Amino acid sequence: MSETKTPAASLGAPRATGNLRSETPVEWLISDSLVDYEEAVRFMEARVEAIANGTARELIWLLEHSPLYTAGTSADFADLLAPARFPVHRTGRGGQFTYHGPGQRIVYVMLDLNRRGKDVRAFVAALEGWIIDTLERFNVKGEIRGDRVGVWVRRPQHAPGAEDKGAEDKIAALGIRLKRWVSMHGLSINVEPELEHFSGIVPCGISTYGVTSLSNLGLIVSMAELDMALADTFEDRFGPIAR
């Protein structure tokens, strides 16, 4: 397998069945300032190649971007409702349109599936589970849906009944690409972004549900607190990180 592009949650349940752990510590990088998107992609591509060649360690990179929209490999440009609002980047990850901006934790995941089982479904499910485990640290119950991507939280106040369509919002997105069985791109969790910025697209092609954040749920969570939770729950599922 040379390259795979895959969307997120439709591929599996939140608990992985394969062995995704490696006991080789993963490098953990946090960028404190906004990172240019194209520079981030160039960095990922070079790092993924080095990981595949055995000359660099696996890497988890946590960062934020300036406001922008990205189009995945399945994007329908009819879903780009405000094309002049923010820069639009075509990207090789799976999925459709999404928004990135300040207040959103982007997690770029560069892991070598050659040493983690070469099971794409299990890998995506483990990433979903990682998000869900992280949200649980803040008493937020994240869930996945078989018919739509991302991690969702129930919002029963949005509809007459808790099970009614529309009574939940997306809090996290996921889209990856595999090159030589090494992953790139990754996931995003809404901490305190400007949610109105999502109105310039149909997020992930889904127009009948909303978008939320930890702040929108009434929680005051800093990026540093989220990062600590991400580190702890990552180790539970994927193995040690180099601290």
Side-chain angles (χ1 to χ4, degrees), residues 64-132:
E64 295 173 79
H65 289 307
S66 298
L68 58 92
Y69 299 127
T70 65
T73 56
S74 301
D76 180 349
F77 273 77
D79 290 339
L80 180 59
L81 306 179
R85 186 173 190 183
F86 297 127
V88 179
H89 300 268
R90 295 177 182 266
T91 181
R93 63 160 175 80
Q96 302 185 48
F97 274 103
T98 195
Y99 164 78
H100 294 320
Q104 182 188 68
R105 177 49 91 209
I106 306 297
V107 185
Y108 287 138
V109 179
M110 287 156 270
L111 296 180
D112 186 358
L113 269 63
N114 290 288
R115 68 179 71 176
R116 296 177 183 271
K118 287 188 175 181
D119 187 331
V120 178
R121 289 179 181 272
F123 179 57
V124 172
L127 293 175
E128 293 167 341
W130 181 25
I131 296 170
I132 290 169

Side-chain angles (χ1 to χ4, degrees), residues 14-15 128-145 150-154 168-172 212 214 217 237:
R15 293 296 182 262
E128 293 167 341
W130 181 25
I131 296 170
I132 290 169
D133 292 348
T134 300
L135 293 174
E136 284 179 355
R137 296 296 181 96
F138 305 101
N139 296 315
V140 174
K141 181 176 176 56
E143 302 177 6
I144 64 166
R145 299 289 178 259
V151 174
W152 301 79
V153 294
R154 294 180 184 269
E168 53 192 29
D169 291 331
K170 179 189 279 190
I171 194 168
T212 191
L214 292 172
L217 294 174
R237 285 183 175 271

Side-chain angles (χ1 to χ4, degrees), residues 181-221:
W181 285 105
V182 180
S183 66
M184 59 188 298
H185 300 285
L187 56 97
S188 61
I189 300 174
N190 295 331
V191 180
E192 194 176 6
E194 176 52 70
L195 294 180
E196 195 278 330
H197 289 176
F198 284 91
S199 67
I201 56 172
V202 179
C204 298
I206 301 170
S207 60
T208 52
Y209 297 89
V211 180
T212 191
S213 65
L214 292 172
S215 175
N216 184 247
L217 294 174
L219 299 172
I220 300 174
V221 178

